[in-house]
Amino acid sequence: MTRRETRESYARRANGSDPRRVESTLAATTDGTVETLIGAFNELHQKFKILEGHKARTKMSMKQKIPEITKTLQLVEHLKAKHEAEEDFMSHYSLSEMIYGRATITPTGNVCLWLGANVMVEYPYDEALDILTLSLKNAKLRKDICDEDLDMLRDQIITVEVNMARVFNYDVKRRRDEKKPEAGAIEA
């Protein structure tokens, strides 16, 4: 299923039958009451809000990872260049917040990459560069996908909110119309 087909699938689920014909939508619900239909729209709205929160968190995570991966990639390229030139160099590195150390580094041809979950793996420079380049590409792709998904979810949330308002307004109008004949009967 392509991203466009997925987006259209979400749109069909959010819209249901034609929202301008509230009567037909009400007839399609199990008991035909406005409360049931508003409850269904409310449930759908909540699901979309949960998905929106999840996608927003994923996007923020990718926004943080991309600069980290980029800096690591630049560092490995620098190490590789110094190794090929057979040069030592001085480095300032962070031990913890506000505490830094200084060291003379002799490139060895290998670099250790932190993979997470308490796992660190040693790679040759070329292999580390390949892994980091792929990770950067994947992180940017995930961020772009999250952007598209967030746009689609916002559209769906607005659609559901509009449909809920239409059903609510229909119910208010229907109740007002039901009370009009009663008011006319009292005057006569």
Side-chain angles (χ1 to χ4, degrees), residues 154-169:
R154 285 185 195 111
D155 289 346
Q156 295 309 311
I157 288 169
I158 290 169
T159 301
V160 169
E161 289 170 348
V162 168
N163 288 344
M164 287 171 63
R166 284 184 179 142
V167 171
F168 182 77
N169 290 340

Side-chain angles (χ1 to χ4, degrees), residues 3 55 140-150:
R3 294 200 58 73
K55 289 294 180 181
K140 287 179 179 178
L141 180 65
R142 278 189 71 190
K143 183 185 167 288
D144 291 343
I145 289 171
C146 282
D147 284 337
E148 288 177 18
D149 289 349
L150 282 168

Side-chain angles (χ1 to χ4, degrees), residues 86-97:
E86 296 181 3
E87 294 178 11
D88 293 348
F89 62 95
M90 287 292 287
S91 175
H92 290 82
Y93 58 94
S94 174
L95 291 171
S96 66
E97 284 186 42

Side-chain angles (χ1 to χ4, degrees), residues 57-74:
R57 285 188 300 277
T58 301
K59 180 181 174 182
M60 288 304 297
S61 172
M62 291 301 113
K63 273 184 157 180
Q64 291 173 350
K65 285 182 182 180
I66 289 172
E68 289 176 16
I69 295 170
T70 303
K71 282 198 277 187
T72 306
L73 190 58
Q74 290 171 348

Side-chain angles (χ1 to χ4, degrees), residues 112-128:
C112 294
L113 295 180
W114 182 261
L115 300 180
N118 295 328
V119 176
M120 184 178 280
V121 180
E122 185 174 354
Y123 291 104
Y125 292 144
D126 290 331
E127 199 173 328

Side-chain angles (χ1 to χ4, degrees), residues 15-29 37 41 163 166-167 170:
N15 290 332
S17 58
D18 186 2
R20 291 173 206 170
R21 296 188 193 140
V22 176
E23 296 89 1
S24 64
T25 306
L26 276 173
T29 60
L37 187 57
F41 279 135
N163 288 344
R166 284 184 179 142
V167 171
Y170 166 80

Side-chain angles (χ1 to χ4, degrees), residues 4 33 57 64-65 74 80 84-85 90 94 98 101 107-108 116 122 137 139 147 153 165 174 179 181:
R4 170 174 241 120
T33 63
R57 285 188 300 277
Q64 291 173 350
K65 285 182 182 180
Q74 290 171 348
K80 182 179 178 186
E84 289 170 352
M90 287 292 287
S94 174
M98 306 301 289
T108 62
E122 185 174 354
K137 178 184 157 199
D147 284 337
L153 283 168
R174 182 184 56 85
K179 287 185 179 179

